[in-house]
Amino acid sequence: MKLSTILFAALLCSLFHANAQSQQAVRVVEFCPAPGQFVNTLPAIAGTMTKEERLQACEEQLQDGNPISLGAAGGYITLALDQPIKNGKGSDLRIIGNAFYAMKDPVYGDATIGGSIEPGIVYAGVGASPETAEWYELAGSEYYTTQRHNFHITYYKPTAETGEHNIPFSTFDQYIKFDAKWTEPNGAERDTTGYLMKNSFHPQTYWPLWEDKEDMTFKGGLLPDNAINYGGDGSDEDNPQNWISYRYAADSYGYVDAALKSDETYTTFDLDWAVDNEGNPVKLSHADFIRIQTGVLQQCGWTGETSTEVSSIENLHLIPGYDDNPIVITPRKRPTGINTLTDATRHEIMRLSIDGRRLDKPEKGINIVKYSDGTTRKTID
């Protein structure tokens, strides 16, 4: 293709999106990040700011296409467009994060679907305000299989900003304590206690400056860990850490900050995916609010905690011509015989070869199979 043709196409695409964005104004109505290494910096927020000023800082980030960090698991932002998002044919909105693929995946090379993938769960709210709205999760590709439900996590305000540190790249190993509990796909109730470490690259407080309570609690869904360290623990300069976080599959859908900005399909979301608290499909005519929440409780060495970022949102139905040729993502079928989420059985979530290659299907020889209940076993196929 000639360079002039490429440039012309790029210009048309730019004008196309600019026109769509110009028809809609985005309001940030809630900003409730969990503690994290980019909290108070993305966007930059001072302790003296009012709530209105904090929300305005978030809106300016979105207007400029810059990322807003939601912090660790559970942190969220709630957005409203200047008109409700109708539930039309196909995807109804697009949400962009800052996901990117690794340039040198040691296992998959250029075929990777991993790099910096930090999935956030999306919820649609219907009502006059976020506090009184009915909220429905947009069930993504992992909802009925590997996702945990009834997830609750409480973070406790740190009493100091530095402390004992033996973990590589940490300036405080037990910086922010958390207690978490959830329901496994097989119905088992689980809980854990842990700490967010303080990353040596980010010295500011990770606790939201405006939050004066001694603890913060979030609830929602919990997605599986998606990161692998292909290097050492960080103590040996000749064997550095090499963290790569992956999409759950090449066709996984329904999560923010989990597909490249250039991906025209898997950065979109369909209100037809809405489900109630029991996982039952709900037919929505529209959404008044959209909430995005960090979906993974995971720490990855020097790269810090997994934290979803959001940089833009748009109503696809306001793009001229979109409804004539909408983006359609066929959702995963709900497993048969499941009356509630807690009735789900153990499910395979990942298959690896003996040398660590990720497999799409059983391969002759020894396969390593990881299951949704956290167990792993070797099979000979």
Side-chain angles (χ1 to χ4, degrees):
M1 185 180 291
K2 292 182 179 180
L3 177 60
S4 58
T5 304
I6 295 174
L7 292 174
F8 180 69
L11 176 61
L12 283 179
C13 182
S14 176
L15 291 173
F16 183 71
H17 286 289
N19 181 53
Q21 288 288 353
S22 69
Q23 297 182 52
Q24 54 192 319
V26 179
R27 290 186 298 116
V28 177
V29 293
E30 293 179 318
F31 180 49
C32 304
Q37 63 187 320
F38 295 108
V39 171
N40 302 315
T41 64
L42 289 177
I45 291 180
T48 55
M49 283 185 173
T50 64
K51 177 181 178 181
E52 290 70 23
E53 289 172 332
R54 296 195 298 271
L55 298 181
Q56 178 63 32
C58 291
E59 290 175 4
E60 291 173 356
Q61 286 285 99
L62 295 176
Q63 290 167 7
D64 295 336
N66 293 324
I68 296 171
S69 178
L70 305 183
Y76 66 90
I77 189 170
T78 306
L79 309 171
L81 277 63
D82 55 4
Q83 58 182 283
I85 302 171
K86 74 173 184 178
N87 187 359
K89 182 179 179 181
S91 294
D92 303 297
L93 64 152
R94 184 185 306 280
I95 308 174
I96 301 295
N98 67 344
F100 59 86
Y101 287 165
M103 296 182 66
K104 294 182 179 180
D105 186 316
V107 177
Y108 305 105
D110 292 339
T112 187
I113 54 171
S116 178
I117 305 296
E118 302 180 287
I121 298 172
V122 179
Y123 300 84
V126 180
S129 71
E131 296 79 14
T132 60
E134 294 289 335
W135 286 96
Y136 305 95
E137 184 171 342
L138 300 189
S141 56
E142 311 308 300
Y143 185 84
Y144 290 113
T145 54
T146 61
Q147 182 175 326
R148 284 83 165 175
H149 301 279
N150 303 317
F151 175 65
H152 291 70
I153 186 166
T154 299
Y155 298 94
Y156 300 93
K157 189 173 184 178
T159 57
E161 292 297 322
T162 58
E164 184 176 350
H165 52 95
N166 297 304
I167 301 173
F169 304 105
S170 168
T171 61
F172 196 170
D173 294 350
Q174 297 185 347
Y175 175 40
I176 295 178
K177 182 183 177 181
F178 63 80
D179 294 323
K181 59 181 180 180
W182 63 87
T183 303
E184 291 285 347
N186 65 359
E189 299 294 331
R190 297 287 177 83
D191 62 78
T192 188
T193 295
Y195 292 87
L196 299 181
M197 78 172 196
K198 192 166 191 179
N199 193 312
S200 60
F201 300 107
H202 302 281
Q204 89 288 350
T205 182
Y206 294 3
W207 193 260
L209 286 169
W210 60 92
E211 186 55 76
D212 56 6
K213 293 188 298 184
E214 294 302 310
D215 57 72
M216 292 187 293
T217 297
F218 301 89
K219 60 181 180 178
L222 179 64
L223 294 167
D225 289 355
N226 67 328
I228 298 174
N229 177 22
Y230 290 112
D233 65 3
S235 60
D236 182 357
E237 293 183 358
D238 295 327
N239 187 24
Q241 296 180 4
N242 183 14
W243 287 94
I244 297 180
S245 51
Y246 291 92
R247 295 179 64 184
Y248 296 115
D251 62 346
S252 64
Y253 63 88
Y255 307 112
V256 176
D257 204 14
L260 304 185
K261 181 179 180 180
S262 59
D263 190 322
E264 292 292 317
T265 299
Y266 293 111
T267 54
T268 67
F269 300 81
D270 192 337
L271 294 180
D272 279 340
W273 302 339
V275 295
D276 64 17
N277 290 334
E278 298 299 323
N280 301 306
V282 176
K283 182 65 176 179
L284 300 182
S285 63
H286 71 283
D288 296 298
F289 304 100
I290 296 296
R291 178 174 290 163
I292 303 138
Q293 183 174 48
T294 298
V296 181
L297 178 60
Q298 177 178 246
Q299 297 188 76
C300 304
W302 72 271
T303 67
E305 83 289 336
T306 295
S307 53
T308 301
E309 273 80 52
V310 183
S311 59
S312 71
I313 181 173
E314 63 179 337
N315 184 341
L316 293 174
H317 299 299
L318 296 183
I319 298 176
Y322 173 78
D323 286 334
D324 296 328
N325 187 28
I327 296 167
V328 177
I329 299 173
T330 302
R332 305 277 199 271
K333 292 183 178 180
R334 187 179 189 181
T336 58
I338 296 178
N339 297 318
T340 64
L341 293 174
T342 57
D343 290 330
T345 56
R346 187 176 73 162
H347 189 85
E348 179 180 324
I349 62 172
M350 185 182 297
R351 181 177 289 262
L352 303 171
S353 66
I354 194 65
D355 59 357
R357 291 180 295 108
R358 191 163 183 171
L359 304 175
D360 293 327
K361 58 184 179 180
E363 189 174 274
K364 186 175 181 180
I366 297 176
N367 290 197
I368 301 172
V369 184
K370 296 185 178 181
Y371 292 95
S372 56
D373 62 357
T375 61
T376 300
R377 71 184 182 94
K378 292 181 180 179
T379 65
I380 299 178
D381 294 280

